[in-house]
Amino acid sequence: MINNFKTDLTIRVAATSHNDILTAMGYVRPTTANRKRLQRVLECPDFGLGEGGFDFKYSSEDFLGALCRAVGMEEPVVEQRIAKLTTRLEEERRAFKPYIWIDTGFTRKSQPLFALAACDDQRYLRFVEGFWRYSLTDQLGETQSRIRAHVAETGGELGIWGKIKQYWFYYEKNAAYLFNLRGEVVGKRCGAESVGVVSGRQLGVIKSVVQSAQQ
């Protein structure tokens, strides 16, 4: 739906000059800033709705609506498409974003705090936007691949943080799977503190699930 929306809007905009479109949107004398905003909206995957833009005439959502109407889209279609976009963006904003935390068992000694703060992001591996929408099976498969690639890239060393011991994949706020450096699931955490080792039967099921996701 979003791709169709973008294609439709792009084709319609291409048929008219940007100045004429902006004039139809209510900008009596379109400025360079107006033209730049229009271009940003057209280039942005979410049409600028995630940026919170405002130019004393239109908010991001109102700007997109005015643009759609200026190029001839019917009001019910405009409302439906913008509603779907805003709903999806709100879901993305509220959702927990899975991530991998790299555990080195680090204990601070003489390292300066500013250096640790500057390097803190090294201890996390992030995923692409929308990854949280994947099934847990697919998430585990991608996590295994990321861990193996990271070990190959770093040689198992994480700079100031030291030697990598293991990886925690947080698929929920207080729930994570523990991976070793071979990318194998060896444990699971449920709750803020409790750690449970995966049984042999559970481990076999998880391994088969991960393998299936990669085929």
Side-chain angles (χ1 to χ4, degrees), residues 180-195:
N180 61 23
L181 272 67
R182 294 187 297 277
E184 300 168 337
V185 178
V186 293
K188 185 177 181 181
R189 168 176 291 165
C190 293
E193 300 295 340
S194 62
V195 176

Side-chain angles (χ1 to χ4, degrees), residues 140 143-145 147-148 151 167 178-185 210:
L140 287 169
T143 297
Q144 183 181 70
S145 298
I147 288 171
R148 289 176 173 174
V151 172
Y167 293 80
L178 176 63
F179 285 74
N180 61 23
L181 272 67
R182 294 187 297 277
E184 300 168 337
V185 178
V210 172

Side-chain angles (χ1 to χ4, degrees), residues 102-119:
I102 305 167
D103 185 2
T104 63
F106 176 80
T107 300
R108 181 174 177 249
K109 297 177 181 177
S110 60
Q111 299 90 342
L113 289 175
F114 77 87
L116 295 177
C119 296

Side-chain angles (χ1 to χ4, degrees), residues 2 6 38-51:
I2 292 176
K6 193 169 189 66
L38 174 58
Q39 192 61 40
R40 286 197 304 271
V41 167
L42 294 173
E43 293 174 351
C44 180
D46 60 19
F47 305 94
L49 295 181
E51 298 177 357

Side-chain angles (χ1 to χ4, degrees), residues 1-18:
M1 181 67 179
I2 292 176
N3 288 338
N4 291 340
F5 185 9
K6 193 169 189 66
T7 300
D8 187 12
L9 184 57
T10 300
I11 291 173
R12 289 170 181 266
V13 169
T16 310
S17 75
H18 285 191

Side-chain angles (χ1 to χ4, degrees), residues 99-107 116-117 119-126 150 158 160-162 166-168:
Y99 65 90
I100 299 170
W101 181 67
I102 305 167
D103 185 2
T104 63
F106 176 80
T107 300
L116 295 177
C119 296
D120 187 61
D121 198 54
Q122 294 178 355
R123 298 196 291 176
Y124 299 87
L125 296 179
R126 312 289 182 180
H150 187 262
L158 200 63
I160 197 172
W161 303 109
Q166 54 198 11
Y167 293 80
W168 287 99

